[in-house]
Amino acid sequence: AKMKKITNHCIPLCMFFCMLLCESSAFAGNTKLHITTDKEKYNAAEIIQFQVFLLNPSAKINNTLFVELMDCNGNRLTKQMLPFSFNVSSGHIELPETGKAEFYLLYCYVNNTDSMECSSVKKVFIKNNNGAHPIRSMCHIFLKVEHL
């Protein structure tokens, strides 16, 4: 009975540590981006204020952040290039006035001298928008975001 209790506690802990190890090795050179926004939900035509933090940058990394606002179908609505200052970049993007999107994607990435170093995506939800079809939109996102 005592062995069963120990095993029940060890298995979740082992799985947790395995997930941590797998996550850290999933990024080239362990470089990561973390996106924060001023709010979780926005109205149409509102301005998104955001900050992007560059964690563990490699020596070959470009000092430019690429930011794209994409709709639920993976269509790029706007693109910006912003500089990093002490591994932090900030900016703003205006949401479209019209549309029936339930959310938009704030897609950020950084290149190194050879290829894309790392990327991150944050969903930006729209208040009181009942016209979207979330399941169909999610299918398009998973199909398109992979080859951005």
Side-chain angles (χ1 to χ4, degrees), residues 36-50 93 95 101-104 106 122-129:
T36 61
T37 55
D38 59 334
K39 302 193 258 185
E40 290 300 314
K41 290 188 176 188
Y42 295 86
N43 294 312
E46 197 168 356
I47 294 176
I48 302 169
Q49 298 284 340
F50 62 88
I93 292 182
L95 290 169
E102 184 179 327
F103 61 89
Y104 292 95
L106 191 59
K122 180 169 180 150
K123 279 186 187 178
V124 176
F125 291 96
I126 307 303
K127 294 179 186 175
N128 301 326
N129 201 341

Side-chain angles (χ1 to χ4, degrees), residues 6 25 53 55 58 67 79-80 86-87 98 104 117 130:
I6 292 172
S25 64
F53 299 90
L55 308 171
S58 69
V67 180
K79 182 177 182 177
Q80 297 180 0
F86 299 103
N87 296 338
T98 58
Y104 292 95
E117 178 77 14
N130 300 323

Side-chain angles (χ1 to χ4, degrees), residues 92-136:
H92 62 276
I93 292 182
E94 186 174 352
L95 290 169
E97 274 187 43
T98 58
K100 296 190 177 203
E102 184 179 327
F103 61 89
Y104 292 95
L105 296 175
L106 191 59
Y107 175 61
C108 300
Y109 59 96
V110 178
N111 293 330
N112 66 22
T113 54
D114 304 325
S115 61
M116 184 186 305
E117 178 77 14
C118 63
S119 64
S120 186
V121 177
K122 180 169 180 150
K123 279 186 187 178
V124 176
F125 291 96
I126 307 303
K127 294 179 186 175
N128 301 326
N129 201 341
N130 300 323
H133 190 290
I135 295 174
R136 187 177 317 135

Side-chain angles (χ1 to χ4, degrees), residues 48-87:
I48 302 169
Q49 298 284 340
F50 62 88
Q51 276 191 317
V52 180
F53 299 90
L54 180 63
L55 308 171
N56 297 329
S58 69
K60 296 192 294 183
I61 202 156
N62 186 327
N63 206 27
T64 303
L65 174 70
F66 297 88
V67 180
E68 298 180 7
L69 183 68
M70 303 174 81
D71 66 13
C72 297
N73 295 316
N75 300 313
R76 181 174 43 196
L77 304 175
T78 185
K79 182 177 182 177
Q80 297 180 0
M81 294 176 11
L82 302 169
F84 278 104
S85 176
F86 299 103
N87 296 338

